[in-house]
Amino acid sequence: MSAAQGLRPYAVGDVFVAATVLDNPADDHAGRGRILQFDANLQPKGELFLDATTHLVGGLKFDARGVLWAFDSHAFVVLNIHADGRVERRTEFGARSWSHVNFAPDGSLLLAEHVVGESIKPEIQARMKTHIPFMPGTQRFGDGHVFRFAADGKLLREYATQTHGGMGGFLGVTMSTLSPDGNTLVYCSETGPRLMRYDLVADRQLPDLQSFTPPYPPGPPPMFFGMEYAPDGTLYVLRGSSIHVVDAGGQSVRQIALEGGGWATIDLGDGARYAFISSFFSGEVAKIDLQSGAKLGSIQTGAPKSVAGLVEYRGEGR
C-alpha cells in the first residue's frame, strides 16, 4: 500500500472529508479515492489519494488509537490509515459491502453491510449509472446485516438487522450510530422512511424509532440519512434538508433547517455543541451550531455527488 504522504500531522480540530475524484463517464460512482484534510479554521491542509479503492470512499471514523477508518463498499475494501503514514488494508473482515463502523465500549467492532438483496427497482435501475456487484461467489449484493468483530478481525456475532432498501430497494444498513451504553444500534437504509433500531444485547429487532408510510404529505417524501448520539444520549438525525433532535420515544422535539438539500452525513463535535454535515448533491461541508442553527463555517470541496464521509479529529490516540 502507498504511504499517506499527502496527510499532514494531525491536530485537534482537523476535519477529514472523503471526496472521491469521479473520473469515469460510464460510472458515476467510480474514481480515484481521495481524503481531504482541513485545519480547525477549515483551510486546506492535506490530500491523500488511495490506491486500493475503485468507487466512492466513505465511512470515515477515528478509533481510540487515532487510526482513521475508510471504506469502499463497491470494492469490498476496508482501510486503516495510521498517523505514521501507513495505509493498511483490512482483509480479515471478508468480502462484504462494509461501509462504516461503530466502536463498542468493550473494544469490539460493529461493521455494517451497505447493500442487500439481489435486485434493484426497475425505475431506479433505469437511471443508475453505476453497477452494484454481487458478493464474490454469490448471486446477491449482500444481506444488509451488522456483524460484530473482535479488534483482531475474529467474527463474534451476526445480527439479522431488518432493512428498508431505500428508494432503489437495495440499500442495507447505510448509516448507524451506537447508543452511549453500547446496547442499541439506531440505523437507516438511506433515502428510506424508517429510522430503525436493533437490540444488540437481546439480539432482536426493536420497533422503529420513527417511520412513515404512504400516503405522504405534500413535498419531498420523508427520508432518513446520517445520525449520531451525543454523549448525553441526545440523538441527532439528518433528514436531507434538516436536522431532527429525536427523543427516546421517537418524537422530533426540535428541528434545525438547513440550506438546500442532500445533507447526508453528520459528525458531532465538542460535546454536540456543533456538527459537521455534508451535502451529497453539492459537496459542501458545513459547520452548524446545534443550538442556534447558524452556519459557523463551510468547506466547498468542489466535488458534487462525491462526498460520502467526514470526521473531525479530537485527539484520539494521544
Side-chain angles (χ1 to χ4, degrees), residues 54-307:
T54 63
H55 287 71
L56 287 177
V57 173
L60 300 188
K61 200 166 195 176
F62 281 103
D63 66 21
R65 303 170 297 156
V67 174
L68 179 61
W69 290 64
F71 299 82
D72 174 355
S73 62
H74 269 74
F76 313 113
V77 170
V78 179
L79 296 179
N80 281 183
I81 301 164
H82 297 262
D84 64 6
R86 289 180 296 118
V87 179
E88 175 189 9
R89 182 167 181 177
R90 300 289 299 271
T91 59
E92 63 268 39
F93 303 118
R96 288 182 178 266
S97 61
W98 312 122
S99 65
H100 66 281
V101 64
N102 285 286
F103 304 113
D106 65 1
S108 61
L109 313 171
L110 292 163
L111 270 66
E113 286 184 281
H114 196 77
V115 291
V116 64
E118 66 286 328
S119 63
I120 300 170
K121 291 181 179 178
E123 65 272 23
I124 301 299
Q125 178 73 78
R127 64 175 189 261
M128 282 179 62
K129 294 182 179 179
T130 191
H131 170 72
I132 308 298
F134 289 142
M135 288 189 298
T138 77
Q139 291 297 307
R140 67 188 192 282
F141 306 136
D143 299 312
H145 287 174
V146 171
F147 294 70
R148 187 185 295 270
F149 292 90
D152 63 2
K154 178 183 178 182
L155 177 62
L156 302 176
R157 182 173 292 183
E158 177 179 352
Y159 300 101
T161 41
Q162 292 181 8
T163 58
H164 173 270
M167 290 182 65
F170 64 94
L171 293 172
V173 181
T174 59
M175 286 101 163
S176 68
T177 185
L178 191 61
S179 61
D181 62 9
N183 293 339
T184 305
L185 192 74
V186 175
Y187 66 97
C188 73
S189 302
E190 64 185 62
T191 71
R194 295 177 62 189
L195 184 62
M196 293 168 276
R197 294 184 297 170
Y198 199 90
D199 184 333
L200 298 169
V201 177
D203 194 3
R204 65 185 180 94
Q205 192 76 30
L206 295 172
D208 290 353
L209 194 57
Q210 291 187 340
S211 63
F212 299 88
T213 56
Y216 300 132
M223 296 180 181
F224 290 97
F225 295 92
M227 70 291 293
E228 187 172 350
Y229 274 107
D232 67 358
T234 302
L235 179 62
Y236 294 86
V237 181
L238 275 173
R239 293 282 302 277
S241 59
S242 60
I243 301 172
H244 285 226
V245 181
V246 180
D247 68 15
Q251 297 299 310
S252 289
V253 297
R254 189 160 62 90
Q255 298 181 34
I256 301 170
L258 303 170
E259 299 173 0
W263 299 99
T265 58
I266 186 169
D267 184 54
L268 302 181
D270 192 18
R273 183 176 64 84
Y274 58 83
F276 286 101
I277 58 174
S278 67
S279 170
F280 186 72
F281 291 160
S282 69
E284 179 186 3
V285 173
K287 184 177 182 180
I288 303 295
D289 185 302
L290 291 174
Q291 291 303 312
S292 68
K295 183 189 288 189
L296 304 175
S298 176
I299 298 169
Q300 300 294 336
T301 66
K305 297 186 178 180
S306 168
V307 174

